Amino acid sequence: MDAKHLGFHSKLVHAGALKDAFGSAVTPIYQTSTFGFESAQDGADRFAGKASGYIYTRIGNPTIAALENCVAALEEGSGAVATSSGMGAIATAYLALLRQGDHVVSTASVYGPTRTLMEKHLSRFGVAATYVDTSDLAMVRGAMRPETKMVYIETPSNPLMQVTDIRAVAALARERGALLVVDSTFASPFLQKPLTLGADVVLHSVTKFINGHADVVGGILAARDESLYRRLREMMVMMGCNMDPHQAYLVHRGLKTLAIRIERAQRSAAEIARWLESRPEVAWVRYIGLASHPQHALAREQMAGFGSMISFEMKGGMEAGRRLMDRVNLAMLAVSLGGVETLIEHPASMTHAGVPRAEREAAGITDGLVRYSVGIEDTADLIEDLRRALEGA
Ligand SMILES: Cc1ncc(COP(=O)(O)O)c(C=O)c1O
């Protein structure tokens, strides 16, 4: 089905679906490693791109393609490449688009391993990066060098919920001959479509909102133009970080309810964020839907909603943060986010523990910072859980 002219909710349900010989309502799981050729010539033609048809699941598979085509339609890109994890998508983008001597300007408060991959590993291959608060356009401009070939932003960022102006950074990157790559995991395509704002590549940890059920790890990249899409696919195939058909089936199943899950979770998040702001135990709350958020106006313009991620700083630092996490019952103390279940975590000792303390603090990830991913439980139950934990009841 040509989903181009469908609305977002219809695309979620129908885009990418494979029509098979049985009229299956859902794209089946093609759990096969390889696909038979009709003749030696057919095999040679498929490899040469002269005949259509699948070859080998690392290169492509109908179940994986159904998910990729759905995400490409949602992101309004020319193609998407699914990967075994979000980090697989990030590694694919770095390796496909950078070479020795290149420089990257990146959001300082990116997901910890994204930064570690660059600083510890890409640096060994002669790629350098500068980390700045990309929500400040002047800082991005100031960090650009003649050899800057990529601007890598995470918006909203993890865990500080900083919002970067995608349109403005895209224009700056284009003017300087650099590509803009956006990690849009915290927003999902329901809340933000970076390619339509000028980004070249958008990527997600589908482990989070896109799958939404905390039962799969996966990633995906979508590119604005066909040639970038081909570079990403080639690198994914060479690195062998493909998604598996069963994984793709589950992610595609979860994706269909993306909008209704987020609509519900963000209603709760807005209420919980306001409630947290009123609590004496809490120093400050970062939720992009609050007027107190520094980029609230930008988020209102750039995003279709404010999502369900809240960060807040406990008065009493590390000890108070850890006490809170040990006392909650309904919210699960676990890393990850974007699922139907509410999760709570402590970035300084968990997701961002690998980032050296000085860099962590410079990026604003303080010891008392708590990250809270709101699920789809009853709002009143979540607030009661937090109230008991804050009051030590
Ligand atoms: C913003 C962001 N990007 C990328 C990743 C990495 O994804 P994965 O864990 O699926 O490899 C994460 C994981 O938490 C994330 O939060």
Side-chain angles (χ1 to χ4, degrees):
M1 176 189 298
D2 180 10
K4 263 206 178 66
H5 306 293
L6 294 178
F8 190 86
H9 296 259
S10 306
K11 280 183 187 165
L12 279 176
V13 178
H14 297 290
L18 178 85
K19 287 287 161 249
D20 69 1
F22 304 103
S24 305
V26 170
T27 305
I29 309 174
Y30 286 88
Q31 194 71 47
T32 179
S33 60
T34 196
F35 300 83
F37 305 127
E38 276 155 31
S39 65
Q41 187 57 48
D42 176 40
D45 286 348
R46 289 195 206 181
F47 269 100
K50 290 186 197 152
S52 59
Y54 291 97
I55 297 171
Y56 184 62
T57 282
R58 177 161 50 78
I59 302 172
N61 171 291
T63 316
I64 303 170
L67 170 68
E68 290 171 335
N69 292 337
C70 185
V71 171
L74 297 173
E75 292 286 6
E76 301 183 31
S78 59
V81 182
T83 53
S84 53
S85 68
M87 285 311 297
I90 292 161
T92 299
Y94 281 167
L95 291 178
L97 307 176
L98 295 169
R99 64 176 66 203
Q100 190 176 28
D102 285 354
H103 173 251
V104 177
V105 175
S106 172
T107 302
S109 66
V110 278
Y111 176 59
T114 305
R115 186 161 172 166
T116 308
L117 176 62
M118 175 61 74
E119 299 216 313
K120 199 163 160 198
H121 302 288
L122 268 286
S123 61
R124 293 187 285 118
F125 299 90
V127 177
T130 304
Y131 292 88
V132 295
D133 174 359
T134 51
S135 66
D136 181 344
L137 191 63
M139 293 195 76
V140 181
R141 191 175 288 115
M144 300 284 281
R145 302 182 192 164
E147 66 275 20
T148 303
K149 291 288 162 13
M150 180 188 288
V151 180
Y152 183 100
I153 62 174
E154 194 178 296
T155 182
S157 72
N158 179 10
L160 283 175
M161 313 305 299
Q162 281 161 332
V163 180
T164 295
D165 186 336
I166 299 173
R167 200 188 296 275
V169 174
L172 176 64
R174 199 170 318 114
E175 183 191 304
R176 305 290 178 91
L179 294 170
L180 175 61
V181 177
V182 180
D183 182 337
S184 193
T185 298
F186 270 44
S188 90
F190 179 49
L191 298 183
Q192 156 177 301
K193 295 187 195 58
L195 302 183
T196 66
L197 300 172
D200 297 288
V201 174
V202 56
L203 63 86
H204 298 270
S205 165
V206 306
T207 316
K208 315 300 186 305
F209 291 99
I210 288 185
N211 178 59
H213 292 75
D215 51 7
V216 175
V217 168
I220 205 154
L221 308 118
R224 194 148 57 94
D225 72 55
E226 179 76 21
S227 68
L228 274 183
Y229 158 69
R230 291 197 180 285
R231 281 163 72 185
L232 295 171
R233 178 162 293 283
E234 187 189 337
M235 183 52 69
M236 181 283 288
V237 170
M238 290 303 141
M239 291 203 301
C241 61
N242 59 287
M243 193 176 269
D244 159 90
H246 189 248
Q247 204 184 352
Y249 169 83
L250 286 170
V251 175
H252 202 168
R253 187 180 207 259
L255 178 57
K256 290 180 188 185
T257 55
L258 176 76
I260 54 175
R261 283 187 277 111
I262 293 186
E263 275 163 357
R264 168 160 178 82
Q266 74 181 357
R267 267 200 307 278
S268 283
E271 201 174 323
I272 294 168
R274 278 195 300 273
W275 180 82
L276 282 169
E277 262 196 332
S278 73
R279 293 297 308 193
E281 303 87 348
V282 174
W284 47 260
V285 180
R286 272 291 178 86
Y287 175 63
I288 50 184
L290 290 175
S292 59
H293 187 285
Q295 293 96 37
H296 174 70
L298 169 63
R300 188 174 278 283
E301 192 190 313
Q302 173 167 291
M303 300 175 70
F306 301 120
S308 51
M309 294 301 300
I310 304 172
S311 287
F312 57 97
E313 174 79 13
M314 290 292 293
K315 287 182 188 160
M318 178 79 87
E319 270 318 298
R322 291 192 135 178
R323 226 176 12 249
L324 171 76
M325 275 170 275
D326 285 341
R327 284 178 180 161
V328 287
N329 267 324
L330 185 57
M332 183 192 283
L333 174 54
V335 295
S336 202
L337 57 113
V340 291
E341 51 289 288
T342 296
L343 301 182
I344 192 165
E345 75 113 359
H346 184 233
S349 67
M350 297 175 191
T351 42
H352 292 68
V355 179
R357 189 189 188 90
E359 286 168 27
R360 207 169 60 223
E361 288 180 351
I365 301 163
T366 46
D367 281 350
L369 192 70
V370 173
R371 191 183 77 184
Y372 193 73
S373 168
V374 181
I376 60 170
E377 300 94 336
D378 286 289
T379 318
D381 289 343
L382 293 172
I383 289 181
E384 180 58 14
D385 185 43
L386 282 169
R387 188 192 63 73
R388 280 170 184 268
L390 287 173
E391 292 172 5

